[in-house]
Amino acid sequence: MTEIGVAIDRTGTARVRELPCRQDNPDLWFAETPAELEQAKALCADCPIRTRCLAAALDRAEPWGVWGGEILDRGTVVARKRPRGRPRKQLVCA
């Protein structure tokens, strides 16, 4: 059996260090900016435990961060994170 954060190769050897979340800056998965969160999602794309990571995060209702290649906010998947502050006003052409 494997745990989240541990990939098992064909010989049965754990390869924790090869997972993207273990190789790169861990703060990237909990970043404030939408661009950094999108970068973390892209790094998760080829992760061998992506689906298990997402399922476990949803089970735990993780409050925020990138888990299994998805952005979680208050325990649910969101399509993208909006930047801080007020949304820009749309110009209305008359």
Side-chain angles (χ1 to χ4, degrees):
M1 182 159 84
T2 63
E3 296 178 9
I4 298 300
V6 178
I8 304 297
D9 66 14
R10 291 182 183 164
T11 64
T13 306
R15 300 176 303 164
V16 176
R17 293 185 185 123
E18 293 182 18
L19 299 177
C21 57
R22 302 297 177 148
Q23 290 178 350
D24 294 294
N25 178 4
D27 292 336
L28 185 63
W29 275 259
F30 301 96
E32 289 291 325
T33 66
E36 288 178 315
L37 292 174
E38 291 300 322
Q39 181 184 357
K41 283 175 58 175
L43 290 170
C44 288
D46 295 326
C47 183
I49 62 166
R50 180 179 177 202
T51 55
R52 288 185 290 162
C53 177
L54 178 58
L58 291 171
D59 287 346
R60 292 188 307 270
E62 285 290 342
W64 72 85
V66 175
W67 297 90
E70 300 292 340
I71 299 172
L72 269 65
D73 185 25
R74 297 183 202 126
T76 60
V77 174
V78 295
R80 65 179 190 253
K81 181 175 177 168
R82 295 189 325 183
R84 296 182 95 172
R86 289 183 145 182
R88 292 179 180 235
K89 291 183 178 181
Q90 298 291 331
L91 292 177
V92 178
C93 297

